[in-house]
């Protein structure tokens, strides 16, 4: 397993639509394991492959509580097949937007169809943090990120802040 470098916004790769995986093979299984390790290392709840620069529809999620055992979910080609009409607003973060949090309005419950790491078709009904996380990660596969839910003004402030942080970091190195 390996920790992969995370793509930090603003980066045009994050706007890209990821391609469906044709075969769940060892390469995909390695990617899933590396993505999980990368996500745990950075204390994230979810990670989409494009966030490590791979434009494929591959996602990992783990929303276990701190004092509970790990509960990794590996999803290939996840597809939201049902959304509840009930909505919730949740303050979200993203590993590609360090230190940025934004209130996002989403469906409270979702049903997601996906392939597991053996290529078996599965479905998951989710609510709470898991439902939010699934919608956030599927958004990444479609080139959508959390700041896209904000007003243009707020979005530009955040993107400028991130660009500036990157310049400061680059000049420190
Ligand atoms: Zn994210």
């Amino acid at each position: 397993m390996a920790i992969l470098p995370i793509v930090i916004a603003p980066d045009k790769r994050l706007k890209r639509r990821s391609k469906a995986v044709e075969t769940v093979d060892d390469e995909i299984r390695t990617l899933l394991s590396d993505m999980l390790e990368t996500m745990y290392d950075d204390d994230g709840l979810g990670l989409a492959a494009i966030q490590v620069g791979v434009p494929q529809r591959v996602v990992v999620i783990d929303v276990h509580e701190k004092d509970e055992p790990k509960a990794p979910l590996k999803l290939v080609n996840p597809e939201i097949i049902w959304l509840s009409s009930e909505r919730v607003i949740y303050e979200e973060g993203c590993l590609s937007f360090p230190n940025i949090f934004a209130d996002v309005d989403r469906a409270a419950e979702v049903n997601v169809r996906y392939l597991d790491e053996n290529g078996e078709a599965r479905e998951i009904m989710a609510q709470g943090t898991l439902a939010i996380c699934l919608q956030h990660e599927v958004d990444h596969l479609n080139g959508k990120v959390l700041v896209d839910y904000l007003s243009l003004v707020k979005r530009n402030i955040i993107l400028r802040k991130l660009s500036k942080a990157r310049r400061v970091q680059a000049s420190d190195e």
Side-chain angles (χ1 to χ4, degrees):
M1 295 214 285
I3 292 173
L4 307 169
I6 292 180
V7 174
I8 304 296
D11 188 304
K12 58 180 188 300
R13 285 174 288 179
L14 295 172
K15 305 302 292 175
R16 198 167 155 183
R17 192 181 160 84
S18 296
K19 286 206 176 81
V21 171
E22 284 177 19
T23 319
V24 184
D25 54 15
D26 284 344
E27 202 178 316
I28 295 295
R29 283 184 280 275
T30 301
L31 175 64
L32 283 160
S33 300
D34 289 347
M35 283 169 60
L36 263 183
E37 195 180 359
T38 304
M39 181 186 82
Y40 288 135
D41 181 65
D42 221 348
D43 283 328
L45 301 180
L47 189 69
I50 193 63
Q51 293 180 275
V52 292
V54 179
Q56 300 217 64
R57 303 184 84 80
V58 173
V59 162
V60 293
I61 290 177
D62 191 338
V63 295
H64 77 280
E65 298 288 338
K66 285 249 183 298
D67 49 359
E68 283 176 13
K70 283 181 179 172
L73 256 180
K74 298 172 175 178
L75 307 99
V76 176
N77 298 341
E79 198 188 336
I80 295 171
I81 53 174
W82 176 81
L83 295 157
S84 67
S85 52
E86 191 198 335
R87 316 278 301 176
V88 281
I89 293 175
Y90 188 93
E91 192 185 55
E92 298 182 19
C94 178
L95 295 182
S96 294
F97 289 80
N99 305 314
I100 302 292
F101 299 92
D103 284 335
V104 182
D105 179 326
R106 298 193 191 268
E109 277 183 81
V110 289
N111 189 5
V112 173
R113 185 183 289 157
Y114 65 100
L115 300 177
D116 68 12
E117 62 184 321
N118 300 312
E120 302 283 341
R122 289 177 179 268
E123 261 183 43
I124 185 171
M125 266 299 271
Q127 54 184 15
T129 314
L130 182 55
I132 304 298
C133 227
L134 283 162
Q135 291 170 81
H136 178 116
E137 300 312 327
V138 170
D139 271 355
H140 274 301
L141 304 182
N142 296 326
K144 190 164 183 179
V145 290
L146 83 169
V147 296
D148 293 336
Y149 289 90
L150 303 177
S151 69
L152 190 60
V153 174
K154 277 192 189 165
R155 193 188 315 163
N156 285 338
I157 291 171
I158 288 172
L159 292 173
R160 268 203 300 275
K161 197 165 141 188
L162 289 168
S163 297
K164 198 177 162 201
R166 185 182 312 186
R167 280 199 303 275
V168 168
Q169 201 185 18
S171 66
D172 282 351
E173 280 165 5

